[in-house]
């Protein structure tokens, strides 16, 4: 098993990565359960796929199953969960475990942040996206009709248990979507990691010998960035760098209609547009763009529009992105592979970039 650490003074925590992380977690929780009440909030699809693991956990704590899917990340579900915790006698000293993908991690994390003004929680991510992205860093949220993740809190977990065996049942399309975030991590500041992904004979998949190492590299990168800028307040170059591909990507997601394009598929298209924009500024070569596009394609990710897109609507939605600062477009761009930076965006250039992408 590999261990990485997120260093945040009194709120530092470990990330355990490997094919035995679940067993290790169960062992730790067996001890913890002797002195504190525990509760697990779990994705219903994960419970159905892993009855033995659910049985093992249920000997230690009650398990609250949540219907799979983004719809569960709602204020209503948040309220219901808080009521269930109260009914179970969960108190300030108790701890909550979140077992599932980003939906469960975000929802249960937000419940843990708010219930009794904050209780401890642990992440047990079961999707690739949750492993490389959402389970680390402490961002928790639910959606409201006005927008995704508009209500939330920063609340760091006490530990993250990343068991790669879960990925064996993850649908291929979901795995590919997680790969977009993993490739993004390498593009931000780790050209060597990008080279390693590029040189793999077969692309990463469940059971791949490089999988745990790749997860560890992505988590180490995220941990460094989060340790330096936990609440994304740095004026430039901090946690916002993790948004590489996201401003264009969110515009794709919104125009496609939420749910029609997976987040990672939109990020892949967003990364391509970031590179096109960077090329217009003379920052990145055709050869480097070609390398990134071929890695994305090799991992079953789209590098062309995967559905009809409207350029004007996309640009408009980019101005309403959460990342916009005082009405200004903010973009993460690339000076090359492993060299991301942030700057104000030019709306004309952004429009030309979207037109170029749509015209592919
Ligand atoms: N907090 C953050 O920093 C952060 C970062 C990125 C994304 N997010 C959020 O994460 C969410 C997306 O996360 P996601 O992609 O993990 O989606 P998800 O949680 O909806 O999981 C995707 C699908 O996979 C299923 N699933 C989960 N684990 C499985 C397994 N092991 N085997 C088979 N099926 C499994 C789920 O039931 C679901 O249908 C979004 O709500 C997004 O806003 C949060």
């Amino acid at each position: 098993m590999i261990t990485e650490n997120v260093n945040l003074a009194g709120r530092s925590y470990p990330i355990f990565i490997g094919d035995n992380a679940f067993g290790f977690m169960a062992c730790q929780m067996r001890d913890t359960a002797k002195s504190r009440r525990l509760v697990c909030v779990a994705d219903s699809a994960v419970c159905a796929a892993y009855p033995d693991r659910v049985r093992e956990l249920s000997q230690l704590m009650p398990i609250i199953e949540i219907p799979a899917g983004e719809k569960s990340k709602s204020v209503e579900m948040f309220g219901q969960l808080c009521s269930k915790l109260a009914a179970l006698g969960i108190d300030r000293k108790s701890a909550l475990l979140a077992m599932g993908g980003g939906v469960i991690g975000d929802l249960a994390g937000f419940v843990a942040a708010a219930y009794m003004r904050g209780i401890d929680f642990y992440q047990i991510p079961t999707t690739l996206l949750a492993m490389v992205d959402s389970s680390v860093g402490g961002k928790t949220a639910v959606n409201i009709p006005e927008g995704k993740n508009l209500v939330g809190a920063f609340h760091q977990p006490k530990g993250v248990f990343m068991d790669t065996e879960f990925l064996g049942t993850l649908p291929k399309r979901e795995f590919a979507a997680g790969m977009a975030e993993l490739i993004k991590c390498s593009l931000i500041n780790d050209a060597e990691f990008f080279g390693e992904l590029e040189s793999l004979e077969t692309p990463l998949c469940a059971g791949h010998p490089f999988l745990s190492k790749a997860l560890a590299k992505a988590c180490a990168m995220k941990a460094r960035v989060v340790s330096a800028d936990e609440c994304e307040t740095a004026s430039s170059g901090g946690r916002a760098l993790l948004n590489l591909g996201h401003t264009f990507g969110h515009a794709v997601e919104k125009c496609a209609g939420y749910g029609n394009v997976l987040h990672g598929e939109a990020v892949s298209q967003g990364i391509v547009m970031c590179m096109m924009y960077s090329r217009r500024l003379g920052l990145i070569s055709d050869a480097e763009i070609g390398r990134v596009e071929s890695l994305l394609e090799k991992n079953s990710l789209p590098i062309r529009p995967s559905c009809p897109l409207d350029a004007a609507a996309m640009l408009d939605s980019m101005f309403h992105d959460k990342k916009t600062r005082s009405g200004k477009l903010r973009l993460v761009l690339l000076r090359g592979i492993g060299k991301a930076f942030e700057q104000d965006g030019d709306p004309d250039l952004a429009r030309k970039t979207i037109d170029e992408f749509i015209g592919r």
Side-chain angles (χ1 to χ4, degrees), residues 43-47 49-50 66-71 73 99-107 123-143 148-149 153 163-171 174-175 177-178 181 184 222 239 242 246 250 253 262-264 322:
D43 182 298
S44 57
V46 175
C47 292
Y50 295 89
I66 303 290
E70 189 72 33
K71 272 207 183 117
K73 237 177 89 172
M99 183 166 78
V103 162
I104 298 299
D106 278 15
L107 167 73
Q123 291 267 20
I124 309 170
T126 61
T127 64
L128 184 59
L129 181 133
M131 291 183 189
V132 293
D133 199 0
S134 61
S135 66
V136 175
K139 277 191 182 176
T140 72
V142 293
N143 306 324
K148 255 181 73 116
N149 298 325
D163 192 316
T164 48
E165 280 206 349
F166 277 117
L167 300 178
T169 49
L170 192 66
E174 295 286 352
F175 191 94
E181 299 286 358
K184 177 204 78 177
K222 183 150 188 194
R239 189 166 178 164
L242 297 170
H246 281 61
H250 284 155
E253 245 178 319
L262 294 182
H263 176 70
K322 272 207 308 291

Side-chain angles (χ1 to χ4, degrees), residues 18 24 44 48 77 119 158 171 174 182 187 221 227-228 240 274 276 282 289 305 313 333 351:
F24 178 72
S44 57
M77 188 61 83
I119 61 171
K158 289 286 165 196
E174 295 286 352
L182 199 122
L187 285 173
M221 190 285 274
S227 301
C274 275
M276 287 174 158
I289 294 182
L333 302 174
R351 173 64 198 249

Side-chain angles (χ1 to χ4, degrees), residues 243-249 267-281 283-284 289 331-334 353:
N243 298 325
L244 175 66
H246 281 61
T247 306
F248 284 111
V267 167
S268 173
Q269 296 172 62
I271 289 173
V272 173
M273 281 184 265
C274 275
M275 294 192 297
M276 287 174 158
Y277 187 105
S278 303
R279 177 168 56 194
R280 285 177 178 274
L281 296 175
L283 297 172
I284 189 165
I289 294 182
L331 293 176
V332 181
L333 302 174
L334 286 174
T353 302

Side-chain angles (χ1 to χ4, degrees), residues 26-333:
C27 230
Q28 284 210 348
M29 293 304 155
R30 208 160 289 130
D31 261 1
T32 312
K34 289 177 191 152
S35 53
R36 313 164 70 180
R37 256 174 218 258
L38 299 173
V39 60
C40 176
V41 175
D43 182 298
S44 57
V46 175
C47 292
Y50 295 89
D52 292 350
R53 291 187 162 187
V54 170
R55 208 168 304 119
E56 189 177 354
L57 265 194
S58 66
Q59 284 164 6
L60 304 172
M61 64 191 88
I63 297 182
I64 304 173
E65 279 192 38
I66 303 290
E70 189 72 33
K71 272 207 183 117
S72 287
K73 237 177 89 172
S74 65
V75 173
E76 293 71 27
M77 188 61 83
F78 166 84
Q80 285 176 30
L81 259 178
C82 289
S83 297
K84 282 189 181 160
L85 297 195
L88 286 167
I90 297 299
D91 60 26
R92 224 168 257 158
K93 292 252 155 16
S94 306
L96 182 156
L97 280 69
M99 183 166 78
V103 162
I104 298 299
D106 278 15
L107 167 73
F110 185 47
V111 167
Y115 184 78
M116 296 205 170
R117 300 197 182 86
I119 61 171
D120 287 353
F121 91 114
Y122 295 86
Q123 291 267 20
I124 309 170
T126 61
T127 64
L128 184 59
L129 181 133
M131 291 183 189
V132 293
D133 199 0
S134 61
S135 66
V136 175
K139 277 191 182 176
T140 72
V142 293
N143 306 324
I144 54 174
E146 288 72 15
K148 255 181 73 116
N149 298 325
L150 281 192
V151 179
F154 284 99
H155 188 55
Q156 299 293 342
K158 289 286 165 196
V160 184
F161 299 92
M162 239 169 242
D163 192 316
T164 48
E165 280 206 349
F166 277 117
L167 300 178
T169 49
L170 192 66
K172 283 206 163 57
R173 192 173 164 204
E174 295 286 352
F175 191 94
M179 279 306 296
E181 299 286 358
L182 199 122
I183 293 169
K184 177 204 78 177
C185 289
S186 72
L187 285 173
I188 290 172
N189 65 8
D190 197 342
E192 194 186 308
F193 180 29
F194 181 88
E196 284 175 304
L197 292 173
E198 212 179 14
S199 62
L200 292 176
E201 261 175 41
T202 51
L204 280 185
C205 57
H208 194 290
F210 189 62
L211 183 60
S212 290
K213 257 204 179 142
L215 288 175
K217 285 189 178 231
C219 289
M221 190 285 274
K222 183 150 188 194
R224 273 197 307 276
V225 172
V226 169
S227 301
D229 181 24
E230 184 183 6
C231 298
E232 210 168 313
T233 46
S235 56
S236 181
R239 189 166 178 164
L241 288 180
L242 297 170
N243 298 325
L244 175 66
H246 281 61
T247 306
F248 284 111
H250 284 155
V252 170
E253 245 178 319
K254 189 145 186 226
C255 289
Y258 286 113
N260 293 324
V261 175
L262 294 182
H263 176 70
E265 293 167 347
V267 167
S268 173
Q269 296 172 62
I271 289 173
V272 173
M273 281 184 265
C274 275
M275 294 192 297
M276 287 174 158
Y277 187 105
S278 303
R279 177 168 56 194
R280 285 177 178 274
L281 296 175
L283 297 172
I284 189 165
S285 67
D286 286 342
E288 281 186 298
I289 294 182
R291 284 175 63 195
V292 177
E293 287 188 349
S294 103
L295 184 62
L296 292 169
E297 266 201 311
K298 208 167 135 187
N299 284 281
S300 313
L301 285 162
I303 58 167
R304 288 183 187 78
S306 56
C307 60
L309 295 172
D310 174 336
M314 276 179 68
L315 190 62
D316 185 59
S317 92
M318 285 167 74
F319 275 97
H320 293 99
D321 196 81
K322 272 207 308 291
K323 274 77 192 179
T324 310
R325 288 197 193 163
S326 333
K328 275 193 187 155
L329 199 56
R330 220 37 208 166
L331 293 176
V332 181
L333 302 174

